[in-house]
Amino acid sequence: MIHFRNVSKIYSGDVVALRNINLDIQHGEFVSIVGQSGTGKSTLLRLLILEEKPSAGKIFFREKDLTSLGHREIPLHRRRIGVVFQDFKLLNKRTVFENTSFALEVAGRSSRDIRRNVSQILEIVGLAGKSDKYPTQLSGGEQQRVAIARALVHHPELLVADEPTGNLDMINTWEIMELLLRINKLGTTVILATHNKETVDRINRRVIALDKGIVIRDQQEGKYMI
Ligand SMILES: Nc1ncnc2c1ncn2[C@@H]1O[C@H](COP(=O)(O)OP(=O)(O)OP(=O)(O)O)[C@@H](O)[C@H]1O
Ligand SMILES: [Mg+2]
């Protein structure tokens, strides 16, 4: 589904964030990207969602070379990927329902379609009873669930999560991880950048370890550290 071929990313000021990355991620995988701060995890994710362009190499997503997408194809590509961040980036003046439905409204979907879709997704993330609440009335874990609901609303093939549990306590962290695993089980490929050793060790899924922009380890059923 995803192929990185000799991908490097050099930011301005000669900061080498990724060096000659080669990776293949299959549809349906759950992949954790681990490594020290500044080692290129977020950069790797940003390349996938086209927030950054590689300085060298190619990235293929479902056989398409992302570096050669035309202007019109970029929004379509982005809709195929749901994105979740450490800070939930919710709209505080909008309810849970509105935060989740926003992207569908922008896409011009009918209100019936939107209601059905949003209810289904709020059910999946365990927020069915909270659709009229505002983000400030929710716990951190619940806010992250809203962000996940929003990311899922287009039924993306891939969910990219950059430190989604970075602001959460241990219990909420594990609940969010369980939710990500469930979403993965329902068929969505998940790529997670994380510092959370306990959860990576507990879930026993593929682990890609980066060090200074290089893949130093790529293991199925991997651990945070060897
Ligand atoms: N927009 C940018 N301009 C210049 N340098 C950048 C930019 N974004 C990131 N970098 C640099 O690229 C390197 C990789 O950063 P990146 O954010 O990918 O690391 P990370 O592994 O996600 O770190 P963390 O665990 O702290 O989130 C770092 O040296 C960082 O300072
Ligand atoms: Mg990061």
PDB file of all heavy atoms in Angstrom, residues 109-127:
ATOM      1  N   ARG A 109     -21.850  17.008   1.617  1.00  0.00           N
ATOM      2  CA  ARG A 109     -22.711  15.824   1.759  1.00  0.00           C
ATOM      3  C   ARG A 109     -24.067  16.213   2.352  1.00  0.00           C
ATOM      4  O   ARG A 109     -24.184  17.198   3.071  1.00  0.00           O
ATOM      5  CB  ARG A 109     -22.012  14.800   2.660  1.00  0.00           C
ATOM      6  CG  ARG A 109     -20.641  14.391   2.128  1.00  0.00           C
ATOM      7  CD  ARG A 109     -20.718  13.233   1.187  1.00  0.00           C
ATOM      8  NE  ARG A 109     -20.942  12.026   1.942  1.00  0.00           N
ATOM      9  CZ  ARG A 109     -19.962  11.310   2.479  1.00  0.00           C
ATOM     10  NH1 ARG A 109     -18.712  11.672   2.340  1.00  0.00           N
ATOM     11  NH2 ARG A 109     -20.241  10.221   3.154  1.00  0.00           N
ATOM     12  N   SER A 110     -25.080  15.427   2.060  1.00  0.00           N
ATOM     13  CA  SER A 110     -26.434  15.750   2.543  1.00  0.00           C
ATOM     14  C   SER A 110     -26.507  15.586   4.057  1.00  0.00           C
ATOM     15  O   SER A 110     -25.754  14.814   4.646  1.00  0.00           O
ATOM     16  CB  SER A 110     -27.450  14.815   1.896  1.00  0.00           C
ATOM     17  OG  SER A 110     -27.402  13.551   2.522  1.00  0.00           O
ATOM     18  N   SER A 111     -27.456  16.325   4.689  1.00  0.00           N
ATOM     19  CA  SER A 111     -27.477  16.287   6.154  1.00  0.00           C
ATOM     20  C   SER A 111     -27.889  14.905   6.657  1.00  0.00           C
ATOM     21  O   SER A 111     -27.453  14.474   7.725  1.00  0.00           O
ATOM     22  CB  SER A 111     -28.364  17.381   6.730  1.00  0.00           C
ATOM     23  OG  SER A 111     -29.609  17.355   6.121  1.00  0.00           O
ATOM     24  N   ARG A 112     -28.695  14.203   5.889  1.00  0.00           N
ATOM     25  CA  ARG A 112     -29.070  12.852   6.311  1.00  0.00           C
ATOM     26  C   ARG A 112     -27.851  11.923   6.307  1.00  0.00           C
ATOM     27  O   ARG A 112     -27.602  11.178   7.247  1.00  0.00           O
ATOM     28  CB  ARG A 112     -30.123  12.315   5.328  1.00  0.00           C
ATOM     29  CG  ARG A 112     -31.118  11.417   6.029  1.00  0.00           C
ATOM     30  CD  ARG A 112     -32.201  11.002   5.082  1.00  0.00           C
ATOM     31  NE  ARG A 112     -32.087   9.591   4.781  1.00  0.00           N
ATOM     32  CZ  ARG A 112     -32.510   9.047   3.649  1.00  0.00           C
ATOM     33  NH1 ARG A 112     -33.057   9.788   2.719  1.00  0.00           N
ATOM     34  NH2 ARG A 112     -32.387   7.755   3.458  1.00  0.00           N
ATOM     35  N   ASP A 113     -27.115  12.018   5.237  1.00  0.00           N
ATOM     36  CA  ASP A 113     -25.889  11.251   5.064  1.00  0.00           C
ATOM     37  C   ASP A 113     -24.904  11.562   6.202  1.00  0.00           C
ATOM     38  O   ASP A 113     -24.313  10.668   6.809  1.00  0.00           O
ATOM     39  CB  ASP A 113     -25.299  11.677   3.706  1.00  0.00           C
ATOM     40  CG  ASP A 113     -24.194  10.757   3.268  1.00  0.00           C
ATOM     41  OD1 ASP A 113     -24.117   9.654   3.818  1.00  0.00           O
ATOM     42  OD2 ASP A 113     -23.405  11.169   2.388  1.00  0.00           O
ATOM     43  N   ILE A 114     -24.793  12.862   6.506  1.00  0.00           N
ATOM     44  CA  ILE A 114     -23.872  13.298   7.555  1.00  0.00           C
ATOM     45  C   ILE A 114     -24.311  12.731   8.902  1.00  0.00           C
ATOM     46  O   ILE A 114     -23.504  12.170   9.642  1.00  0.00           O
ATOM     47  CB  ILE A 114     -23.799  14.843   7.613  1.00  0.00           C
ATOM     48  CG1 ILE A 114     -23.122  15.382   6.340  1.00  0.00           C
ATOM     49  CG2 ILE A 114     -23.049  15.312   8.861  1.00  0.00           C
ATOM     50  CD1 ILE A 114     -23.092  16.892   6.232  1.00  0.00           C
ATOM     51  N   ARG A 115     -25.601  12.855   9.210  1.00  0.00           N
ATOM     52  CA  ARG A 115     -26.097  12.349  10.509  1.00  0.00           C
ATOM     53  C   ARG A 115     -25.817  10.864  10.673  1.00  0.00           C
ATOM     54  O   ARG A 115     -25.367  10.413  11.709  1.00  0.00           O
ATOM     55  CB  ARG A 115     -27.597  12.604  10.647  1.00  0.00           C
ATOM     56  CG  ARG A 115     -27.923  13.870  11.448  1.00  0.00           C
ATOM     57  CD  ARG A 115     -29.334  13.838  11.982  1.00  0.00           C
ATOM     58  NE  ARG A 115     -30.317  13.454  10.979  1.00  0.00           N
ATOM     59  CZ  ARG A 115     -30.853  14.285  10.083  1.00  0.00           C
ATOM     60  NH1 ARG A 115     -30.534  15.555  10.089  1.00  0.00           N
ATOM     61  NH2 ARG A 115     -31.725  13.857   9.193  1.00  0.00           N
ATOM     62  N   ARG A 116     -26.081  10.121   9.608  1.00  0.00           N
ATOM     63  CA  ARG A 116     -25.902   8.674   9.684  1.00  0.00           C
ATOM     64  C   ARG A 116     -24.425   8.320   9.903  1.00  0.00           C
ATOM     65  O   ARG A 116     -24.072   7.535  10.775  1.00  0.00           O
ATOM     66  CB  ARG A 116     -26.409   8.032   8.393  1.00  0.00           C
ATOM     67  CG  ARG A 116     -26.757   6.561   8.573  1.00  0.00           C
ATOM     68  CD  ARG A 116     -27.096   5.925   7.260  1.00  0.00           C
ATOM     69  NE  ARG A 116     -26.198   6.396   6.212  1.00  0.00           N
ATOM     70  CZ  ARG A 116     -26.554   6.583   4.944  1.00  0.00           C
ATOM     71  NH1 ARG A 116     -27.788   6.373   4.558  1.00  0.00           N
ATOM     72  NH2 ARG A 116     -25.673   6.988   4.046  1.00  0.00           N
ATOM     73  N   ASN A 117     -23.599   8.950   9.093  1.00  0.00           N
ATOM     74  CA  ASN A 117     -22.162   8.714   9.162  1.00  0.00           C
ATOM     75  C   ASN A 117     -21.574   9.067  10.524  1.00  0.00           C
ATOM     76  O   ASN A 117     -20.826   8.291  11.123  1.00  0.00           O
ATOM     77  CB  ASN A 117     -21.502   9.629   8.135  1.00  0.00           C
ATOM     78  CG  ASN A 117     -20.589   8.876   7.246  1.00  0.00           C
ATOM     79  OD1 ASN A 117     -19.686   8.215   7.734  1.00  0.00           O
ATOM     80  ND2 ASN A 117     -20.831   8.954   5.953  1.00  0.00           N
ATOM     81  N   VAL A 118     -21.912  10.267  10.997  1.00  0.00           N
ATOM     82  CA  VAL A 118     -21.337  10.757  12.254  1.00  0.00           C
ATOM     83  C   VAL A 118     -21.808   9.898  13.426  1.00  0.00           C
ATOM     84  O   VAL A 118     -21.014   9.531  14.292  1.00  0.00           O
ATOM     85  CB  VAL A 118     -21.675  12.251  12.463  1.00  0.00           C
ATOM     86  CG1 VAL A 118     -21.263  12.714  13.855  1.00  0.00           C
ATOM     87  CG2 VAL A 118     -20.974  13.096  11.405  1.00  0.00           C
ATOM     88  N   SER A 119     -23.101   9.524  13.443  1.00  0.00           N
ATOM     89  CA  SER A 119     -23.584   8.687  14.551  1.00  0.00           C
ATOM     90  C   SER A 119     -22.842   7.365  14.583  1.00  0.00           C
ATOM     91  O   SER A 119     -22.446   6.882  15.640  1.00  0.00           O
ATOM     92  CB  SER A 119     -25.073   8.353  14.438  1.00  0.00           C
ATOM     93  OG  SER A 119     -25.785   9.415  13.973  1.00  0.00           O
ATOM     94  N   GLN A 120     -22.641   6.802  13.411  1.00  0.00           N
ATOM     95  CA  GLN A 120     -21.951   5.515  13.337  1.00  0.00           C
ATOM     96  C   GLN A 120     -20.529   5.634  13.883  1.00  0.00           C
ATOM     97  O   GLN A 120     -20.075   4.796  14.657  1.00  0.00           O
ATOM     98  CB  GLN A 120     -21.939   5.058  11.874  1.00  0.00           C
ATOM     99  CG  GLN A 120     -21.380   3.676  11.671  1.00  0.00           C
ATOM    100  CD  GLN A 120     -20.926   3.470  10.227  1.00  0.00           C
ATOM    101  OE1 GLN A 120     -21.012   4.379   9.395  1.00  0.00           O
ATOM    102  NE2 GLN A 120     -20.424   2.291   9.948  1.00  0.00           N
ATOM    103  N   ILE A 121     -19.856   6.721  13.526  1.00  0.00           N
ATOM    104  CA  ILE A 121     -18.464   6.872  13.943  1.00  0.00           C
ATOM    105  C   ILE A 121     -18.366   7.219  15.419  1.00  0.00           C
ATOM    106  O   ILE A 121     -17.494   6.711  16.128  1.00  0.00           O
ATOM    107  CB  ILE A 121     -17.755   7.870  13.024  1.00  0.00           C
ATOM    108  CG1 ILE A 121     -17.455   7.112  11.723  1.00  0.00           C
ATOM    109  CG2 ILE A 121     -16.464   8.379  13.621  1.00  0.00           C
ATOM    110  CD1 ILE A 121     -17.087   7.939  10.593  1.00  0.00           C
ATOM    111  N   LEU A 122     -19.282   8.040  15.916  1.00  0.00           N
ATOM    112  CA  LEU A 122     -19.260   8.363  17.349  1.00  0.00           C
ATOM    113  C   LEU A 122     -19.527   7.102  18.178  1.00  0.00           C
ATOM    114  O   LEU A 122     -18.995   6.939  19.279  1.00  0.00           O
ATOM    115  CB  LEU A 122     -20.262   9.464  17.679  1.00  0.00           C
ATOM    116  CG  LEU A 122     -19.885  10.843  17.140  1.00  0.00           C
ATOM    117  CD1 LEU A 122     -20.934  11.885  17.505  1.00  0.00           C
ATOM    118  CD2 LEU A 122     -18.508  11.298  17.645  1.00  0.00           C
ATOM    119  N   GLU A 123     -20.327   6.215  17.616  1.00  0.00           N
ATOM    120  CA  GLU A 123     -20.559   4.907  18.256  1.00  0.00           C
ATOM    121  C   GLU A 123     -19.234   4.132  18.345  1.00  0.00           C
ATOM    122  O   GLU A 123     -18.859   3.645  19.401  1.00  0.00           O
ATOM    123  CB  GLU A 123     -21.579   4.144  17.404  1.00  0.00           C
ATOM    124  CG  GLU A 123     -22.118   2.877  18.007  1.00  0.00           C
ATOM    125  CD  GLU A 123     -23.169   3.185  19.067  1.00  0.00           C
ATOM    126  OE1 GLU A 123     -24.051   4.048  18.828  1.00  0.00           O
ATOM    127  OE2 GLU A 123     -23.068   2.574  20.133  1.00  0.00           O
ATOM    128  N   ILE A 124     -18.521   4.061  17.239  1.00  0.00           N
ATOM    129  CA  ILE A 124     -17.249   3.315  17.196  1.00  0.00           C
ATOM    130  C   ILE A 124     -16.263   3.855  18.232  1.00  0.00           C
ATOM    131  O   ILE A 124     -15.601   3.092  18.926  1.00  0.00           O
ATOM    132  CB  ILE A 124     -16.614   3.380  15.783  1.00  0.00           C
ATOM    133  CG1 ILE A 124     -17.469   2.596  14.787  1.00  0.00           C
ATOM    134  CG2 ILE A 124     -15.182   2.825  15.784  1.00  0.00           C
ATOM    135  CD1 ILE A 124     -17.003   2.698  13.345  1.00  0.00           C
ATOM    136  N   VAL A 125     -16.172   5.181  18.348  1.00  0.00           N
ATOM    137  CA  VAL A 125     -15.174   5.743  19.269  1.00  0.00           C
ATOM    138  C   VAL A 125     -15.702   5.858  20.701  1.00  0.00           C
ATOM    139  O   VAL A 125     -15.005   6.337  21.593  1.00  0.00           O
ATOM    140  CB  VAL A 125     -14.633   7.123  18.799  1.00  0.00           C
ATOM    141  CG1 VAL A 125     -14.016   7.023  17.416  1.00  0.00           C
ATOM    142  CG2 VAL A 125     -15.708   8.193  18.847  1.00  0.00           C
ATOM    143  N   GLY A 126     -16.942   5.423  20.917  1.00  0.00           N
ATOM    144  CA  GLY A 126     -17.484   5.395  22.280  1.00  0.00           C
ATOM    145  C   GLY A 126     -17.963   6.740  22.787  1.00  0.00           C
ATOM    146  O   GLY A 126     -17.922   7.015  23.977  1.00  0.00           O
ATOM    147  N   LEU A 127     -18.432   7.598  21.868  1.00  0.00           N
ATOM    148  CA  LEU A 127     -18.907   8.927  22.279  1.00  0.00           C
ATOM    149  C   LEU A 127     -20.353   9.177  21.873  1.00  0.00           C
ATOM    150  O   LEU A 127     -20.788  10.331  21.784  1.00  0.00           O
ATOM    151  CB  LEU A 127     -18.018  10.015  21.655  1.00  0.00           C
ATOM    152  CG  LEU A 127     -16.633  10.204  22.233  1.00  0.00           C
ATOM    153  CD1 LEU A 127     -15.893  11.285  21.457  1.00  0.00           C
ATOM    154  CD2 LEU A 127     -16.693  10.589  23.712  1.00  0.00           C
TER     155      LEU A 127
END
